[in-house]
Amino acid sequence: QVQLVESGGGLVHAGDSLRLSCSVSVTTLSRYNMGWFRQAPGQERQFVAYIGRDVDNIRYEESVKGRFTISRDDAKSTVYLQMNNLKPEDTAVYSCAANVIPFAGVPDLMNSRKYTYWGQGTQVTVSS
């Protein structure tokens, strides 16, 4: 069973930065497409970013472009989400997810339903 564990969340002020980490219990992370999603209270889960098995295959949700950076270290079985210039509207529970869809396209990688494995989430709260 693949397990994902997020860390790095917290309470920060607007304009601050956080780096989220997602540790995955596999030795071959390179087989997995990885995504970050977030869910604010009373709202549906929202796509934030993905990084495919090809590290050049990256996409961001529009509101985080230029502020968030997703990366992966397959040797450490860890995926990161560097979040800069945080805003109050970024407040949510952030979860990482994984799937092994081969040749996955943009629709698959932006769709939370296409991800098989999920972490428990980490809370990010940004005060104004």
Side-chain angles (χ1 to χ4, degrees):
Q1 181 70 12
V2 178
Q3 294 183 325
L4 290 74
V5 179
E6 302 94 337
S7 60
L11 171 62
V12 297
H13 295 293
D16 287 348
S17 298
L18 282 174
R19 187 175 83 154
L20 305 183
S21 299
C22 174
S23 178
V24 188
S25 66
V26 297
T27 57
T28 53
L29 186 64
S30 58
R31 294 181 57 232
Y32 296 82
N33 302 303
M34 301 298 299
W36 283 97
F37 294 80
R38 65 186 180 186
Q39 188 167 21
Q43 297 187 21
E44 293 186 355
R45 182 178 283 166
Q46 178 189 37
F47 164 76
V48 176
Y50 72 66
I51 183 166
R53 295 188 294 182
D54 177 352
V55 296
D56 292 328
N57 185 12
I58 290 175
R59 192 175 188 98
Y60 298 97
E61 192 270 329
E62 279 299 318
S63 70
V64 308
K65 278 184 181 178
R67 300 188 298 122
F68 291 12
T69 303
I70 189 171
S71 62
R72 61 191 297 159
D73 185 337
D74 290 343
K76 295 182 178 179
S77 295
T78 302
V79 178
Y80 304 98
L81 186 68
Q82 177 67 43
M83 305 186 296
N84 298 329
N85 189 22
L86 282 160
K87 303 177 180 181
E89 52 263 42
D90 295 319
T91 295
V93 174
Y94 284 71
S95 299
C96 64
N99 72 43
V100 290
I101 299 174
F103 310 110
V106 171
D108 286 338
L109 295 178
M110 293 182 66
N111 185 349
S112 62
R113 297 184 182 87
K114 296 294 187 177
Y115 286 82
T116 307
Y117 308 104
W118 288 85
Q120 82 289 349
T122 185
Q123 177 71 46
V124 172
T125 303
V126 185
S127 65
S128 58

